[in-house]
Amino acid sequence: MDMIELKPAKELAAKRVSRFINETVDYAEARTALLAEEIEVRRHLTRLAEQRRRLPPGPLVQKDYRFKDENGLELGLAGLFGHHDTLVTYFWMFGPQRERPCPMCTNFLGGANGNGADVKQRVAFKIIGRSPVERQRAFAIERGWRDLDFVQTVGDDYARDLGVLDDEGSEYPGFTVYRKDGDDVRVFYNGEMPAEAADPGQDPRGAVDIAPLWNILDMTPAGRGTDWYPKLNY
């Protein structure tokens, strides 16, 4: 998008028409100023997405990582693409040592399930875990998830190399996008946000928050809060 051709955000925000007849002048002015900022952020996110798409070819996946799908079939990373040339993966914290999966991963996957059928029209979308697929699927059925495809890592090389499993056995979530380059598979994008990059009072999070929960709470007066996290049950 050529930003030179875009009208100033304040000019566009000034076209706002209130939907509430009893809106005060103070509220109208503050909301119009906020709208201008929202337009600027939208434009920045558009530039961010364009910059992401312009990334040069990423690291070549050289190891023959193995996975098991829901049919018990063992296959390599390239086999997870199906007929697509792009593969979106989410590694969730549900290893065999866990009695129950990570609540934060569960929250994200709940939202992802709602969009799973649509996402899979455009790209392959796989949820990867260290637990057997049957165990992952059992939890998915418990939650009512119908549109997520689960695979199990065969061994821990994939998780360790991706940096989502450490020497103490602790797991971390991972969002990775792969792309087929002929017969090769390359990393296109990997979600990265070091803990040191978190701003004061915030958890480390990416520039685009893909979890619906936090985006919804950001629209509320109290926001995300500072010490609240989703649970598996309430």
Side-chain angles (χ1 to χ4, degrees):
M1 181 181 296
D2 188 350
M3 297 301 293
I4 297 177
E5 299 178 358
L6 298 177
K7 293 182 178 180
K10 289 184 178 180
E11 179 181 330
L12 296 175
K15 298 180 182 296
R16 172 181 178 267
V17 177
S18 174
R19 293 180 174 84
F20 305 97
I21 59 174
N22 60 341
E23 186 176 81
T24 65
V25 173
D26 286 347
Y27 184 90
E29 290 179 350
R31 185 63 187 91
T32 300
L34 177 62
L35 179 57
E37 288 298 314
E38 290 172 336
I39 292 171
E40 293 285 12
V41 169
R42 183 196 69 205
R43 290 174 172 176
H44 188 83
L45 290 175
T46 299
R47 295 195 300 271
L48 186 64
E50 291 172 345
Q51 182 178 353
R52 187 181 297 112
R53 291 194 295 270
R54 291 195 301 268
L55 284 169
L60 179 67
V61 179
Q62 296 179 313
K63 278 191 179 181
D64 184 23
Y65 298 112
R66 309 303 294 175
F67 306 88
K68 284 186 179 179
D69 67 11
E70 295 180 356
N71 298 315
L73 180 66
E74 183 173 314
L75 64 171
L77 190 60
L80 302 182
F81 281 75
H83 65 277
H84 293 289
D85 62 2
T86 301
L87 168 65
V88 177
T89 67
Y90 183 79
F91 180 93
W92 68 320
M93 299 163 61
F94 192 19
Q97 82 284 5
R98 286 178 171 269
E99 181 178 349
R100 303 284 279 170
C102 165
M104 292 282 281
C105 291
T106 299
N107 174 267
F108 165 71
L109 292 182
N113 173 75
N115 290 273
D118 297 316
V119 170
K120 289 185 288 186
Q121 298 301 306
R122 299 275 295 167
V123 298
F125 185 30
K126 303 295 183 183
I127 311 305
I128 300 175
R130 294 170 57 238
S131 284
V133 175
E134 296 79 10
R135 188 167 187 248
Q136 298 184 57
R137 284 294 306 154
F139 185 80
I141 292 171
E142 175 187 325
R143 305 297 286 198
W145 299 342
R146 299 185 305 173
D147 293 312
L148 296 178
D149 300 334
F150 295 88
V151 295
Q152 173 193 355
T153 60
V154 178
D156 287 335
D157 282 357
Y158 177 81
R160 290 187 183 281
D161 291 350
L162 193 61
V164 292
L165 178 67
D166 64 21
D167 292 337
E168 285 71 44
S170 297
E171 295 178 315
Y172 306 91
F175 183 87
T176 310
V177 180
Y178 299 96
R179 189 167 188 175
K180 272 191 176 178
D181 183 9
D183 294 331
D184 295 329
V185 174
R186 292 184 179 274
V187 175
F188 170 76
Y189 175 80
N190 188 54
E192 301 176 23
M193 191 57 62
E196 294 80 7
D199 290 327
Q202 297 183 5
D203 291 326
R205 64 177 190 261
V208 177
D209 205 323
I210 57 178
L213 168 69
W214 304 120
N215 287 295
I216 292 172
L217 291 180
D218 279 344
M219 303 287 184
T220 67
R224 303 180 180 213
T226 58
D227 57 359
W228 181 88
Y229 295 95
K231 298 179 175 62
L232 293 181
N233 299 101
Y234 297 98

